[in-house]
Amino acid sequence: MSLDNTNAKLVRMANQIATFFKSQPEAERIHGVATHINKFWEPRMRKAFFELIEQGDTGFDPIVIAAADIIKRPGSPSQAADSPEHVDLAMQQAGFSD
């Protein structure tokens, strides 16, 4: 499958994360990749990631593919709970202010 430059970079970045986690104990690799992507990739990147995963063979490392099951999909209920607006509202309701 031929990828445009942006998607090719996304695949390369995900595979670099997987390469790093290959140095970790096997039991931590998949969770480590998913945690990193959940923490540091913005929703647009994760949306593009899932579009590529759904297309099939795009060159992702098998660890990245396995991690897809626990990477947060943009717009999912757990994603909304992590949004800045949700956090601000929760802090206001708890009595915190600026």
Side-chain angles (χ1 to χ4, degrees), residues 2 4 6 12 22-24 26 29 33 36 38-39 41 51-53 64 69 78-79 90 97:
S2 176
D4 66 31
T6 302
R12 187 175 70 244
K22 286 179 183 178
S23 67
Q24 304 299 310
E26 189 170 348
R29 293 175 187 172
V33 169
H36 181 90
N38 285 333
K39 282 185 178 181
W41 284 23
E51 289 170 356
L52 289 170
I53 288 289
V64 174
D69 290 338
S78 62
Q79 180 65 29
S97 62

Side-chain angles (χ1 to χ4, degrees), residues 26-46:
E26 189 170 348
E28 297 175 20
R29 293 175 187 172
I30 293 169
H31 184 72
V33 169
T35 298
H36 181 90
I37 290 173
N38 285 333
K39 282 185 178 181
F40 299 109
W41 284 23
E42 66 174 7
R44 288 181 300 173
M45 292 172 71
R46 286 183 280 116

Side-chain angles (χ1 to χ4, degrees), residues 3-96:
L3 299 175
D4 66 31
N5 194 38
T6 302
N7 288 339
K9 286 181 183 179
L10 197 73
V11 171
R12 187 175 70 244
M13 288 171 51
N15 288 345
Q16 287 175 328
I17 296 165
T19 298
F20 169 79
F21 281 100
K22 286 179 183 178
S23 67
Q24 304 299 310
E26 189 170 348
E28 297 175 20
R29 293 175 187 172
I30 293 169
H31 184 72
V33 169
T35 298
H36 181 90
I37 290 173
N38 285 333
K39 282 185 178 181
F40 299 109
W41 284 23
E42 66 174 7
R44 288 181 300 173
M45 292 172 71
R46 286 183 280 116
K47 180 180 184 287
F49 168 79
F50 283 110
E51 289 170 356
L52 289 170
I53 288 289
E54 291 165 3
Q55 287 177 14
D57 183 22
T58 52
F60 284 116
D61 185 285
I63 294 173
V64 174
I65 294 169
D69 290 338
I70 53 177
I71 293 172
K72 295 177 190 172
R73 285 188 177 265
S76 67
S78 62
Q79 180 65 29
D82 294 338
S83 71
E85 297 82 13
H86 183 272
V87 172
D88 288 345
L89 179 61
M91 289 179 70
Q92 288 173 359
Q93 290 173 341
F96 292 97

